[in-house]
Amino acid sequence: MPIRLRIILNISIIAMWFTSLTSISLFADEKKKQTNGSQKVLVTVNGHAITQADLDFAYLSRGISGGTRSAKKQVLESLVDQRLIQDFLAQQKITVPPKQLDESVLKVQKLIRKKGDNPEQVLTKMGFTPEKLRTAIALPLSWNIYAKREITPAKIQEYFDQHRAELDGTRVEASHILLKLPPNAKPETIQQAKQKLSDVREQILAEKITFAEAAAQHSEAPSKNDGGKLVTSAYRGKMPLALTQQVFALKEGDVSVPFQSPFGVHIVTLNKKHPGQFSLEDVRGEIFQLLSRALWNKTIQKLRSSAKIEWNANSPE
């Protein structure tokens, strides 16, 4: 069975930005598009048309046959972003060395053969011409060249210093008190829960009650009879990120202010922190990816502020 395109193109920098290669359709030669509705313009970006054919190819790349109006809008928005970035990189005179691009194409073909498939047949079935494939690979590679120019070693060092505990493998022992919320809880219900936990927090800080005692009395989590203990976890570990983000901001013994998560309203306390052992060199690649994604989002925001984006009347604005 032919492997999906997003798996085919799962080579480091491409996978970083495109879980599915929706960008490919932007660059098809307009002369090759069929006239049976595929030339219908859905949105125009600074004079460049994104057509129904582009959207169809984006769906094909994702391995889906269609979607809701909201899903269609999301895909089209991603195509707008990619069109803006393509033009931006051209203005910056960023180009991928032909040898690097050739090597990436060969990697794709090698991955297909490794699965026992014929590269030409698989790519043709997915709607890829050699030109489309090269352009699909070129965009994220071009972005990577630009990002490396902008993200200096000093910026990576600064990020590591500011987020060391999140990156070096530091593990935390923490406890929480949870008040559950009903589905679609009203603002006043949420506020009441926060006020209750705020009062509990004040009692804990005044040493009128311990955190464990408060958990036993008030928490609605399964851990209430165990002092509210959460699983020991690194920043991206077994503990839900919504809780981890709050815990890592604390010092040992601190109690957070009430906050809301998908589980309800909580307060958390940091019991103990176990420093990690990873160095900057161990996580340099991860930091680069985080900063590169942030740079992408910032660039898109800036480009959109001055871009002329015109939606067709039948497009999901």
Side-chain angles (χ1 to χ4, degrees):
M1 179 178 180
I3 55 177
R4 288 193 178 187
L5 207 48
R6 54 186 170 195
I7 298 177
I8 295 172
L9 295 178
N10 188 25
I11 53 182
S12 59
I13 193 62
I14 296 173
M16 173 181 168
W17 291 113
F18 303 103
T19 55
S20 61
L21 293 181
T22 56
S23 60
I24 306 159
S25 57
L26 285 174
F27 313 106
D29 185 346
E30 294 295 330
K31 294 181 180 179
K32 295 180 181 179
K33 292 179 178 176
Q34 302 299 319
T35 59
N36 55 350
S38 65
Q39 292 189 26
K40 177 184 176 183
V41 176
L42 302 178
V43 57
T44 303
V45 184
N46 292 332
H48 299 285
I50 296 176
T51 67
Q52 183 64 47
D54 295 322
L55 182 64
D56 291 342
F57 195 85
Y59 280 143
L60 184 63
S61 299
R62 290 170 179 252
I64 57 179
S65 57
T68 63
R69 184 177 180 83
S70 176
K72 178 181 178 182
K73 177 65 158 50
Q74 186 176 9
V75 174
L76 282 172
E77 291 286 8
S78 71
L79 294 180
V80 169
D81 290 346
Q82 291 159 28
R83 177 76 250 182
L84 290 170
I85 290 292
Q86 183 201 14
D87 291 345
F88 172 76
L89 293 174
Q91 292 169 4
Q92 299 295 314
K93 302 187 184 305
I94 303 293
T95 56
V96 180
K99 182 178 179 181
Q100 182 183 6
L101 191 53
D102 291 341
E103 290 173 350
S104 296
V105 171
L106 289 175
K107 285 182 181 179
V108 171
Q109 295 173 342
K110 184 177 180 180
L111 284 171
I112 297 173
R113 291 192 184 96
K114 192 174 181 179
K115 294 292 183 179
D117 293 313
N118 179 286
E120 183 177 351
Q121 291 178 354
V122 169
L123 294 172
T124 299
K125 184 176 181 180
M126 295 302 296
F128 272 92
T129 63
E131 180 185 1
K132 281 185 180 181
L133 179 62
R134 291 178 69 84
T135 306
I137 296 173
L139 180 57
L141 291 176
S142 298
W143 174 260
N144 191 48
I145 292 172
Y146 173 73
K148 283 183 176 179
R149 189 178 75 184
E150 296 297 312
I151 302 171
T152 63
K155 290 181 180 179
I156 292 177
Q157 179 70 61
E158 180 183 12
Y159 188 92
F160 180 73
D161 292 340
Q162 294 176 351
H163 302 269
R164 183 184 295 267
E166 301 170 16
L167 296 161
D168 68 2
T170 291
R171 296 179 302 116
V172 293
E173 296 178 26
S175 302
H176 78 138
I177 297 173
L178 166 69
L179 296 182
K180 295 181 180 179
L181 295 171
N184 303 316
K186 296 180 179 180
E188 53 266 29
T189 302
I190 298 172
Q191 184 56 41
Q192 288 172 4
K194 287 184 176 181
Q195 184 58 55
K196 179 177 179 179
L197 287 186
S198 182
D199 294 340
V200 171
R201 177 176 181 267
E202 291 301 321
Q203 294 178 31
I204 295 170
L205 294 177
E207 298 184 350
K208 295 180 179 180
I209 190 173
T210 67
F211 195 96
E213 290 170 343
Q217 291 181 27
H218 303 288
S219 184
E220 296 174 339
S223 62
K224 62 177 296 181
N225 294 322
D226 192 26
K229 287 184 179 179
L230 292 160
V231 62
T232 301
S233 177
Y235 189 78
R236 292 179 180 82
K238 296 180 180 179
M239 190 188 303
L241 188 59
L243 302 186
T244 305
Q245 290 173 332
Q246 298 291 331
V247 172
F248 268 76
L250 302 175
K251 296 179 181 178
E252 289 186 7
D254 283 353
V255 180
S256 75
V257 297
F259 63 93
Q260 187 178 354
S261 83
F263 308 101
V265 176
H266 313 249
I267 55 174
V268 294
T269 185
L270 174 59
N271 300 321
K272 190 173 181 59
K273 183 176 289 186
H274 303 274
Q277 303 300 319
F278 294 137
S279 68
L280 171 61
E281 294 310 311
D282 293 322
V283 295
R284 184 178 294 276
E286 180 182 351
I287 295 174
F288 176 81
Q289 290 188 9
L290 289 169
L291 293 179
S292 184
R293 185 176 294 278
L295 179 61
W296 172 281
N297 292 336
K298 182 179 179 180
T299 304
I300 286 295
Q301 184 178 17
K302 182 178 180 180
L303 293 173
R304 276 182 173 264
S305 68
S306 59
K308 186 176 182 181
I309 302 173
E310 301 173 286
W311 293 86
N312 182 284
N314 295 321
S315 297
E317 293 184 72

